[in-house]
Amino acid sequence: MTQPQTQPRTTAARAALAAQTIELPSWAFGNSGTRFKVFGQPGVPRDPYEKIADAAQVHRYTGAAPRVSLHIPWDLVDDFGALRRHAEDLGVQLGAINSNVFQDDDYMLGSLTNPDPKVRRKAVDAHLRCLEVMNETGSQDLKIWLADGLNYPGQDDLRSRQDRLAEGLAEIYAALAPHQRIILEYKFFEPAFYATDVPDWGTSLLHCMALGEQAMVVLDTGHHAPGTNIEFIVAQLLRVGRLGAFDFNSRFYADDDLMVGAADPFQLFRIMNEIVAAGALDPDSGVNFMLDQCHNIEPKIPGQIRSVMNVQEATAKALLVDRDALAAAQRSGDVLGAHGVLMDAYNTDVRSLLADLRTEQGLDPDPMVAYAASGYGERIAAERVGGAQAGWGA
Amino acid sequence: MTQPQTQPRTTAARAALAAQTIELPSWAFGNSGTRFKVFGQPGVPRDPYEKIADAAQVHRYTGAAPRVSLHIPWDLVDDFGALRRHAEDLGVQLGAINSNVFQDDDYMLGSLTNPDPKVRRKAVDAHLRCLEVMNETGSQDLKIWLADGLNYPGQDDLRSRQDRLAEGLAEIYAALAPHQRIILEYKFFEPAFYATDVPDWGTSLLHCMALGEQAMVVLDTGHHAPGTNIEFIVAQLLRVGRLGAFDFNSRFYADDDLMVGAADPFQLFRIMNEIVAAGALDPDSGVNFMLDQCHNIEPKIPGQIRSVMNVQEATAKALLVDRDALAAAQRSGDVLGAHGVLMDAYNTDVRSLLADLRTEQGLDPDPMVAYAASGYGERIAAERVGGAQAGWGA
Amino acid sequence: MTQPQTQPRTTAARAALAAQTIELPSWAFGNSGTRFKVFGQPGVPRDPYEKIADAAQVHRYTGAAPRVSLHIPWDLVDDFGALRRHAEDLGVQLGAINSNVFQDDDYMLGSLTNPDPKVRRKAVDAHLRCLEVMNETGSQDLKIWLADGLNYPGQDDLRSRQDRLAEGLAEIYAALAPHQRIILEYKFFEPAFYATDVPDWGTSLLHCMALGEQAMVVLDTGHHAPGTNIEFIVAQLLRVGRLGAFDFNSRFYADDDLMVGAADPFQLFRIMNEIVAAGALDPDSGVNFMLDQCHNIEPKIPGQIRSVMNVQEATAKALLVDRDALAAAQRSGDVLGAHGVLMDAYNTDVRSLLADLRTEQGLDPDPMVAYAASGYGERIAAERVGGAQAGWGA
Amino acid sequence: MTQPQTQPRTTAARAALAAQTIELPSWAFGNSGTRFKVFGQPGVPRDPYEKIADAAQVHRYTGAAPRVSLHIPWDLVDDFGALRRHAEDLGVQLGAINSNVFQDDDYMLGSLTNPDPKVRRKAVDAHLRCLEVMNETGSQDLKIWLADGLNYPGQDDLRSRQDRLAEGLAEIYAALAPHQRIILEYKFFEPAFYATDVPDWGTSLLHCMALGEQAMVVLDTGHHAPGTNIEFIVAQLLRVGRLGAFDFNSRFYADDDLMVGAADPFQLFRIMNEIVAAGALDPDSGVNFMLDQCHNIEPKIPGQIRSVMNVQEATAKALLVDRDALAAAQRSGDVLGAHGVLMDAYNTDVRSLLADLRTEQGLDPDPMVAYAASGYGERIAAERVGGAQAGWGA
């Protein structure tokens, strides 16, 4: 339990935490729900400008969320230059561009994998349009998550779909600028209920390797089979240099997009421990840390603030691991000792460390309280009257 | 592999199959989908009358689907007597009434378990209204499935919610007529993502026992944790006389409402085997067999026809099990022999037996082909223009 | 994050923690492993006397483990009075008696559920023998976990096995003294691989209710389907007054008997939170808290010490929950607020609180360090030479 | 339901089935069990010679099992030339060599991944010894399954273990003769309970690609997370040319090594459907089809016969799929039609087709009955008296 000489570790942790940034998803500020019901909330944004305004609030109180991912076509605007200036005026930047090829009727049986070549053409074009948006927004990452898959055995040919996918991705990849990347997400299931065309990290990695060095895997913490050891995948992708980004969220069952760290904070710590151990917290590591989650019943801005704080707390604990002691215990085969070193860090209460850091940064030590006291939530509820609230359909 | 003296079994199977009925859900004919997208289909009903017309098509070609469950308020009409006559004119009857207390904004944090007594009052009243509908439709079963639950640990008190649930159910139960039943469904998760208030058969059974003999458990085949042995639960509920109804569907992952028998036909057979072994196929057994599933990407009427056929095929195989040989092998501890007797029945191709039965009943031997040839699908696609297609929201 | 007026809660927590006891399993001190290999460890006990000596070490350093469960026939001795005195001399008591009816060749196809009445007779008699042992040891609880089940569909009749089980349990129950209890454990699967005869809490509860008020359910934290919400079951069993005991351990996958709290410390906290909220930590609540886990690769005595500490830490956090604030947030539907109250307690570092308590109790503040420094481990490794090390076979 | 022109498909199916071979595991004939108990059976082999004699019985009655895998050191003999001749005399051949580096005390914390370089050296040497055996037996495949992994977070460094693994495999690979292969198996979990060093197909594939073209992935049907779509992995590995072998078995829960096809025969059919569709049934495809399963409570030789028959039946159904109709329905987006084509083949009773084929081959049409009538089981039970029965320990 005792941790001699923790002071240097705490100092280093503080510096790393001060440099850590987490990208926010624009769609977290719109309405979301389940197939059973989407519950609207007062004050929800009606357009991308309002989404970014809300995202800027999260950064204002945490100091750690300076970028906002966009979802295209949900976040299409006439003038992305204007949107970009709007963001910068509010102190944030536009981040990754997420392609959406699952909400047009044509995509019912797939997008890049659709048996119909006309639909595949349309899906490729949608991605090329995203690349144009990226050129306008200055975004570097095209994040591709496909809803493609099958609901019934026999519905389509599993292998042909992989070939079509490879072909479509290759055409998109060819249009990348040298500083841009494709980051390819995988998901165990949903909305496809029998087979998903990019169901696991192995499939995503195979496609990335076929594409080239500007293609990287996205790991979404909610997209795995029950029991999957996610930190192992993190370690493996880092080892082969192909972890492009993280989509943070959490879940008890399937992909239910709960706030990161809410379901299994120890798992989040173990994940961040692999990140820290591999040096991947370094802003130059090429790993983009993002939230990708929804707030169905909780208020959205506080939900995002809490999520950022949860990532920070898990990161702080990972930074406090006594790596020399850990390595020594591991080398000597001391199972309980090595486990104990890790648990010592996990069991530490890092909230005051982070509060101090915020104070040092000129922020309120408690972002949740500070945001609540700001009156912003009440203000948008009062002001944003009329118009259609943003949701997954827009 | 050899099955001596199978003739008597085949004859008995034929009689049992001729008597078997499967209730259809009105909502299977409306649009449905996932949180990501609901894909509309041409010809989808705009109101309960059209839903029943479509359901009657399923009965017309299978001869085994003479009842239609309604969902309230989705299927509210001004005159249930007229709806009932409409159904009877088309050769079907109105079946169970399903209460819907999950799509009103008030129910965001629960219905019968809501911390707010006003919402609980409203939820009880919604059920009392369902009982009034039942009196008008002649329905005997009030099927209660609650979306109630929590997304986050701490969000509400697990135990208080059970107490509120018991209280609400008791008030509804007290309003039952002597020939009516509450049938209480359980579900592992979704739409609640941390805790569900009726998550398992044990919880449903405890509430039913507290209510009285007119309360029975509904087993939905898609509502269990991964790996759960469903036929065991069937056997257990039959043993204690509390299996009120079946909701058939299938799934590979979570509750995804695929066509029954599509994901694991052997499991469906094992379930029907317990039903047959316990004599619960008997129409007087008190077990109501219903479909409860959606057709997101496949056409709806053929999807229902196929599902009815899948249940019939599994039932036919279960009826062909050589129960004397099975019991003898079981008694003697002959593991492979007993297993083999069961597999012999499962491996039998029962499609011609069912085709013959249909011919005998004056039906086309192949319901899928006959429906496709009827032109009904094209007709409704052409005729049902304008108006809002029915879906989960209505 | 701020917790005003935490002082009274801390004081109450300290008192509750001082009164908390956790029963140890004698078999945790013997060798254990997987079907692939049992790795022996130096110093492992050769008989029940040595097991109890080791268990007493755990109590010596934690002050919280004053009882030892026995497994019969593994722990059969000629003179249980002598064993009892041996335990008392070492400062501990004999606890629950666990029946073992799975390691005799006769039990290959089941014990109380075996199709062969002679085997069932033998299994009932084995339990009656356990009751005799209980009378000699002063134990109050007969803990029954059955390995009974099926590996293949059709192998035996699911429902008949329930009837046989009920019959066997009834005979055992009839032999209980008024102060004795049957506590009936359930398990999702293993060693049976298709169907288990007591697979879930519902089945255990049904049998207990049929037996009478001296029959209670045992909840083993490792014995559930993936994703099962265990704290819900705890709350439900406490609500109906049938939670007889806890078997603590943890797992990432199936029942792998890792140290409690090692796989998901947040889950352990949520479980203890239900216990505390229901007042079931009270020694008079009738809930017996036990460890039931193995140490395949870690040293056994430290493994048990660590496990006791893990339960203590989770309990301490649960005791620190601000229940008034929690209830207020829950009542007002404040999802994030209520969740936050719970997380505040969980995120608290309680190790110094427990260290202080130990010092107050005259114990070393760090049991792991103190045990390691004692030289006991080295001593038994040196002394226990020759003889057969105890394991699951004895 | 109707299948016009099925005659050519049936003829082709018959030819393919006549050519299909399935390799048997020597260890299936020894005793096996769970961590709770290994139940011995009469007549179980005492040495590799007797194991091969029993395996030859399976081939004698099925005509489809002409090879036997060995496990080293379990099947070490002084003279592998003699063992080879013994096999050939009985009409079978020696197949793949399986390395066993999990039953020596040194391997408690891993073999090729062990933190201790001396243990890693020993584990590499054990594999080099296997290559020597292969040279003596004429085996082409060195099958590597490692029990390596961790039980506790922190116990060892996930990434370092991958590096050590790569290093060890490279040394073994370098010693392969040009006609030999390493085939590397993955497993989700067990006996490691927190992290497994080769847990999924992605990890196995990465190591194979790093090694070279003589390294291929082994897919064991029981080694996946719940819900994993195994046929997708089959299709993917075939697509990239890296499916080296199949380990057939089945399971309801974790890896429980039940008879292939016993738990989910539809899944086995879907798997064989991908094999057939990719032409991988061809003996020149490089895919070695093997059983890897145990018979804990059922007799072993009949258990293997039944398993071979189950694979044959699934293969026969896959061969009967009307691929033109399937492709046409898939191309046109006919979800139910395409699914229906697949199900038509699955629902066909192929037992008489296989019985006819056996008769044509001079075999008894019912291998189970023929073996039972042979008296072999009784003979070995009577003759094999004395000596130690083979099991997982030898």
Side-chain angles (χ1 to χ4, degrees), chain A residues 75-95:
Chain A
D75 292 326
L76 273 182
V77 294
D78 290 335
D79 181 350
F80 277 101
L83 189 68
R84 185 180 181 166
R85 286 187 298 278
H86 170 70
E88 287 166 0
D89 288 348
L90 294 166
V92 295
Q93 291 185 292
L94 303 183

Side-chain angles (χ1 to χ4, degrees), chain C residues 123-206:
Chain C
V124 169
D125 288 343
H127 283 90
L128 298 179
R129 175 74 187 102
C130 286
L131 289 178
E132 291 171 13
V133 170
M134 288 167 68
N135 293 333
E136 298 174 58
T137 58
S139 304
Q140 297 190 1
D141 286 347
L142 172 59
K143 189 161 70 161
I144 302 180
W145 170 72
L146 301 172
D148 294 36
L150 310 176
N151 273 9
Y152 290 101
Q155 179 189 327
D156 198 2
D157 187 63
L158 294 174
R159 183 164 167 177
S160 302
R161 291 175 76 91
Q162 290 298 308
D163 294 338
R164 295 174 205 145
L165 174 60
E167 194 178 278
L169 289 173
E171 185 173 349
I172 301 162
Y173 187 84
L176 287 179
H179 69 288
Q180 292 174 334
R181 308 189 303 177
I182 280 181
I183 55 178
L184 181 60
E185 191 168 337
Y186 61 91
K187 186 176 184 183
F188 184 49
F189 86 101
E190 198 216 14
F193 290 141
Y194 157 61
T196 295
D197 291 314
V198 189
D200 51 23
W201 71 268
T203 297
S204 178
L205 180 60
L206 273 179

Side-chain angles (χ1 to χ4, degrees), chain D residues 19-354:
Chain D
Q20 185 180 31
T21 64
I22 298 151
E23 187 163 322
L24 305 180
S26 71
W27 54 97
F29 301 96
N31 287 321
S32 63
T34 69
R35 60 173 171 149
F36 293 96
K37 170 73 174 171
V38 174
F39 294 100
Q41 293 188 5
V44 156
R46 280 96 34 109
D47 60 36
Y49 289 85
E50 291 181 349
K51 290 182 193 175
I52 285 170
D54 288 3
Q57 291 290 310
V58 178
H59 184 50
R60 176 172 183 170
Y61 293 102
T62 62
R67 293 184 309 282
V68 190
S69 301
L70 301 183
H71 221 292
I72 303 298
W74 291 346
D75 293 325
L76 273 182
V77 293
D78 290 335
D79 181 350
F80 277 101
L83 189 68
R84 185 181 182 166
R85 286 188 299 277
H86 171 70
E88 286 165 0
D89 289 347
L90 293 166
V92 295
Q93 292 184 293
L94 302 183
I97 298 301
N98 292 257
S99 62
N100 179 323
V101 285
F102 53 86
Q103 292 198 312
D104 187 288
D105 283 341
D106 280 344
Y107 297 134
M108 185 170 85
L109 301 181
S111 63
L112 295 178
T113 66
N114 199 295
D116 183 341
K118 287 195 302 294
V119 178
R120 297 203 296 276
R121 181 71 256 152
K122 175 174 175 171
V124 169
D125 288 343
H127 284 89
L128 298 179
R129 175 74 186 101
C130 286
L131 289 177
E132 292 171 13
V133 170
M134 288 167 67
N135 293 332
E136 298 174 57
T137 58
S139 303
Q140 297 190 1
D141 286 346
L142 172 59
K143 189 161 69 161
I144 303 181
W145 170 73
L146 301 173
D148 293 37
L150 310 176
N151 274 8
Y152 290 101
Q155 179 189 326
D156 198 2
D157 187 63
L158 293 173
R159 184 166 166 175
S160 301
R161 292 174 76 90
Q162 289 298 308
D163 294 337
R164 294 175 205 143
L165 174 59
E167 195 177 278
L169 288 172
E171 185 173 349
I172 300 163
Y173 186 86
L176 287 179
H179 69 288
Q180 291 175 335
R181 308 189 302 177
I182 280 181
I183 55 178
L184 181 60
E185 190 169 337
Y186 60 91
K187 185 175 184 183
F188 184 49
F189 85 101
E190 198 215 16
F193 290 141
Y194 157 61
T196 295
D197 291 312
V198 189
D200 51 23
W201 71 268
T203 297
S204 177
L205 180 61
L206 273 178
H207 284 287
C208 288
M209 293 192 310
L211 290 173
E213 299 203 345
Q214 287 165 260
M216 307 283 277
V217 178
V218 179
L219 188 153
D220 182 299
T221 48
H223 289 188
H224 303 85
T228 301
N229 184 324
I230 298 174
E231 58 268 29
F232 176 90
I233 301 174
V234 172
Q236 188 71 280
L237 288 173
L238 287 170
R239 181 175 170 266
V240 297
R242 289 282 185 169
L243 181 60
F246 251 92
D247 269 5
F248 284 120
N249 52 56
S250 76
R251 54 145 209 185
F252 287 93
Y253 303 93
D255 174 45
D256 40 35
D257 282 345
L258 300 182
M259 298 187 303
V260 57
D264 189 346
F266 182 44
Q267 182 187 58
L268 180 60
F269 163 74
R270 298 194 310 266
I271 289 170
M272 295 314 300
N273 180 52
E274 292 303 321
I275 292 288
V276 167
L281 204 60
D282 189 314
D284 297 331
S285 72
V287 183
N288 190 2
F289 297 91
M290 322 191 220
L291 300 184
D292 182 4
Q293 59 191 36
C294 304
H295 304 287
N296 296 352
I297 61 169
E298 66 273 25
K300 293 158 201 307
I301 296 172
Q304 291 282 295
I305 292 175
R306 175 91 210 192
S307 300
V308 169
M309 292 172 70
N310 284 354
V311 175
Q312 289 181 307
E313 291 175 21
T315 308
K317 293 181 179 195
L319 288 162
L320 293 182
V321 172
D322 183 342
R323 300 207 173 268
D324 292 338
L326 183 64
Q330 290 174 343
R331 262 195 312 275
S332 67
D334 178 2
V335 175
L336 281 181
H339 174 62
V341 170
L342 197 75
M343 296 312 290
D344 270 344
Y346 178 67
N347 285 326
T348 304
D349 188 341
V350 296
R351 291 174 298 168
S352 60
L353 183 158
L354 283 159

Side-chain angles (χ1 to χ4, degrees), chain D residues 61 302 305 366-378:
Chain D
Y61 293 102
I305 292 175
D366 189 331
M368 293 291 281
V369 167
Y371 171 75
S374 76
Y376 183 87
E378 293 76 5

Side-chain angles (χ1 to χ4, degrees), chain C residues 95-377:
Chain C
I97 297 301
N98 292 255
S99 62
N100 178 323
V101 285
F102 52 87
Q103 293 199 312
D104 187 288
D105 283 341
D106 281 343
Y107 297 134
M108 185 170 84
L109 302 181
S111 63
L112 295 179
T113 65
N114 198 297
D116 183 342
K118 288 194 303 294
V119 179
R120 297 203 295 276
R121 180 70 256 152
K122 176 173 173 170
V124 169
D125 288 343
H127 283 90
L128 298 179
R129 175 74 187 102
C130 286
L131 289 178
E132 291 171 13
V133 170
M134 288 167 68
N135 293 333
E136 298 174 58
T137 58
S139 304
Q140 297 190 1
D141 286 347
L142 172 59
K143 189 161 70 161
I144 302 180
W145 170 72
L146 301 172
D148 294 36
L150 310 176
N151 273 9
Y152 290 101
Q155 179 189 327
D156 198 2
D157 187 63
L158 294 174
R159 183 164 167 177
S160 302
R161 291 175 76 91
Q162 290 298 308
D163 294 338
R164 295 174 205 145
L165 174 60
E167 194 178 278
L169 289 173
E171 185 173 349
I172 301 162
Y173 187 84
L176 287 179
H179 69 288
Q180 292 174 334
R181 308 189 303 177
I182 280 181
I183 55 178
L184 181 60
E185 191 168 337
Y186 61 91
K187 186 176 184 183
F188 184 49
F189 86 101
E190 198 216 14
F193 290 141
Y194 157 61
T196 295
D197 291 314
V198 189
D200 51 23
W201 71 268
T203 297
S204 178
L205 180 60
L206 273 179
H207 284 287
C208 287
M209 293 193 309
L211 291 173
E213 299 203 345
Q214 287 166 260
M216 308 284 275
V217 178
V218 179
L219 188 153
D220 181 298
T221 48
H223 288 188
H224 302 84
T228 300
N229 185 323
I230 298 174
E231 58 268 30
F232 177 90
I233 301 174
V234 172
Q236 188 72 279
L237 288 174
L238 287 171
R239 181 175 168 267
V240 297
R242 290 280 185 172
L243 181 60
F246 250 92
D247 269 5
F248 283 120
N249 51 56
S250 76
R251 55 148 209 181
F252 286 94
Y253 303 94
D255 174 47
D256 41 34
D257 283 343
L258 300 181
M259 298 187 303
V260 57
D264 188 347
F266 182 43
Q267 182 188 58
L268 180 60
F269 162 74
R270 299 194 310 266
I271 289 170
M272 294 315 300
N273 180 52
E274 292 302 321
I275 292 289
V276 168
L281 205 60
D282 189 315
D284 296 331
S285 71
V287 183
N288 191 2
F289 297 91
M290 322 191 221
L291 300 184
D292 183 4
Q293 59 190 37
C294 303
H295 304 288
N296 295 353
I297 60 169
E298 66 273 27
K300 294 159 201 309
I301 296 172
Q304 291 281 295
I305 292 174
R306 175 90 210 193
S307 300
V308 169
M309 292 172 71
N310 284 353
V311 174
Q312 289 181 307
E313 291 175 22
T315 307
K317 293 180 178 195
L319 287 162
L320 293 182
V321 171
D322 183 341
R323 299 206 174 271
D324 292 337
L326 182 65
Q330 290 174 341
R331 262 195 312 274
S332 66
D334 178 3
V335 175
L336 282 180
H339 174 62
V341 171
L342 197 75
M343 296 313 290
D344 270 344
Y346 179 66
N347 286 326
T348 304
D349 189 341
V350 296
R351 291 174 298 168
S352 60
L353 183 158
L354 283 159
D356 290 352
L357 176 65
R358 287 186 196 106
T359 303
E360 211 176 276
Q361 293 173 316
L363 299 169
D364 191 285
D366 189 333
M368 293 291 281
V369 167
Y371 170 76
S374 75
Y376 183 86

